[in-house]
């Protein structure tokens, strides 16, 4: 029986991923004098292993987002980010690297399913500027996102629930690379709970299962992710947060079942601190 090799996944979720599902989804009233806005952020992350352990993972990253408001309810958004890998990644690589760059168009208030709830959408183009994308000969990527959110102040003041569905389509030059199957489609569903309290504090928790398929239509790389974050809005422009996050492949054809308790393994968890400046 032929075994299908699955491209290794990074089990440590980067803070930039978590951040991308918070600030990049925000819709706030911009400065009427300018259609331009955005934010920059810097973070440091590490897992629970000692610095000398071969499984230690420490990194620092920076993200820049530039937005242009096409109208009150639509915008263009450019995201550029990079990171410094202090310990070896899944390929044993250290140093400074770019992440993939993206350009998107988003629309808020596509429709309102119920009173107090809204659905927003986004179409994103992904350009292969990261080392992993270049290594796998990714030529281009696209992603469609639909996000439902609603306030539940009648239950608890400051409580917001949201559910985000994301579908990504990759375009690789080859269907395999180094004996590994490339991912053509990835479907994710993120459920989030946000709670704003004491005027300037907030708490966020999310759970995201996601599933992938290769270019032959075979199922690959089913994973589940979670994250918890607490933040503080220091000024109108500056905020900071700390959190932890992790992911696990809950089924791997080569290794069999992967226990879900790895999701809350304190050594495998990624812990991070982030500072954001919005303009």
């Amino acid at each position: 029986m032929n075994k299908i090799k699955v491209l290794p996944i990074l089990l440590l979720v980067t803070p930039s991923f978590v951040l991308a599902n918070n600030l990049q989804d925000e819709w706030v009233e911009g400065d009427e004098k300018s259609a331009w806005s955005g934010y920059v952020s810097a973070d440091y992350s590490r897992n629970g292993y000692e610095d000398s352990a071969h499984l230690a993972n420490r990194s620092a990253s920076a993200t820049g987002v530039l937005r242009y408001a096409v109208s009150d309810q639509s915008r263009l958004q450019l995201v550029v980010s990079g990171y410094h890998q202090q310990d070896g990644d899944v390929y044993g690589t250290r140093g400074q690297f770019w992440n993939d760059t993206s350009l998107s168009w988003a629309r808020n208030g596509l429709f309102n399913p119920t009173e107090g709830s809204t659905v927003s959408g986004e179409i994103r183009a992904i350009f292969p500027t990261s080392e992993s994308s270049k290594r796998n000969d990714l030529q281009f990527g696209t992603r469609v996102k639909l996000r439902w959110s609603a306030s539940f102040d009648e239950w608890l003041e400051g409580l917001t629930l949201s559910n985000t569905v994301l579908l990504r389509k990759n375009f690789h030059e080859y269907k395999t690379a180094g004996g590994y199957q490339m991912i053509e489609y990835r479907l994710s569903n993120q459920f989030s709970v946000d709670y704003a309290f004491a005027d300037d504090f907030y708490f966020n928790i999310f759970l995201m299962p996601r599933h992938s398929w290769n270019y032959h239509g075979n199922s690959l790389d089913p994973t589940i992710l979670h994250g918890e974050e607490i933040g503080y809005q220091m000024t109108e422009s500056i905020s900071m947060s700390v959190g932890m996050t992790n992911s696990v492949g809950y089924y791997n054809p080569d290794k069999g079942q992967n226990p879900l308790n790895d999701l809350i393994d304190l050594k495998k968890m990624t812990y991070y601190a982030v500072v954001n400046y919005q303009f």
Side-chain angles (χ1 to χ4, degrees), residues 156-171:
L156 179 65
E157 187 175 356
L159 178 65
T160 300
L161 303 182
S162 63
N163 192 78
T164 305
V165 178
L166 307 102
L167 177 62
R168 173 166 172 164
K169 169 71 168 73
N170 291 322
F171 298 88

Side-chain angles (χ1 to χ4, degrees), residues 27-197:
W27 287 87
V28 295
E29 293 184 6
D31 186 348
E32 294 181 358
K33 298 179 181 179
S34 176
W36 296 96
S37 64
Y39 70 86
V40 291
S41 67
D43 67 71
Y44 175 78
S45 67
R46 60 166 301 146
N47 59 16
Y49 290 97
E50 295 182 0
D51 294 350
S52 58
H54 75 281
L55 292 176
N57 189 296
R58 296 166 291 170
S59 66
S61 65
T63 301
V65 173
L66 183 63
R67 294 169 175 153
Y68 178 77
V70 180
S71 68
D72 290 342
Q73 296 294 318
S74 67
R75 69 188 181 200
L76 296 173
Q77 180 169 268
L78 174 68
V79 181
V80 179
S81 63
Y83 64 97
H84 168 77
Q85 186 71 38
Q86 187 170 349
D87 301 291
D89 61 9
V90 291
Y91 297 98
T93 304
R94 302 180 184 182
Q96 289 73 238
F97 308 96
W98 293 104
N99 291 312
D100 286 337
T101 301
S102 68
L103 179 64
S104 62
W105 175 82
R107 172 80 182 181
N108 192 29
L110 289 174
F111 61 94
N112 304 99
T114 60
E115 184 178 354
S117 70
T118 185
V119 172
S120 60
E122 180 191 77
I123 300 174
R124 177 171 296 201
I126 301 166
F127 303 97
T129 52
S130 69
E131 289 298 313
S132 60
S133 292
K134 294 176 182 178
R135 184 185 292 117
N136 295 327
D137 296 311
L138 177 68
Q139 296 180 310
F140 187 67
T142 60
R143 196 186 74 178
V144 177
K145 176 169 70 176
L146 284 176
R147 182 175 186 265
W148 168 88
S149 62
S151 172
F152 287 84
D153 286 335
E154 66 274 16
W155 292 2
L156 179 65
E157 187 175 356
L159 178 65
T160 300
L161 303 182
S162 63
N163 192 78
T164 305
V165 178
L166 307 102
L167 177 62
R168 173 166 172 164
K169 169 71 168 73
N170 291 322
F171 298 88
H172 290 91
E173 185 175 359
Y174 305 104
K175 296 180 180 180
T176 61
Y180 294 108
Q181 298 283 339
M182 296 295 96
I183 293 174
E184 182 179 17
Y185 291 101
R186 169 166 284 165
L187 179 64
S188 308
N189 187 84
Q190 176 179 319
F191 178 74
S192 299
V193 178
D194 292 274
Y195 175 52
F197 61 98

Side-chain angles (χ1 to χ4, degrees), residues 220-250:
L220 301 174
D221 184 22
T223 58
I224 187 168
L225 306 87
H226 77 93
E228 298 78 34
E229 179 178 291
I230 187 167
Y232 173 60
Q233 190 73 38
M234 301 174 64
T235 69
E236 288 187 2
S237 301
I238 301 173
S239 63
M240 62 181 297
S241 59
V242 294
M244 58 184 183
T245 183
N246 197 11
S247 71
V248 65
Y250 53 87

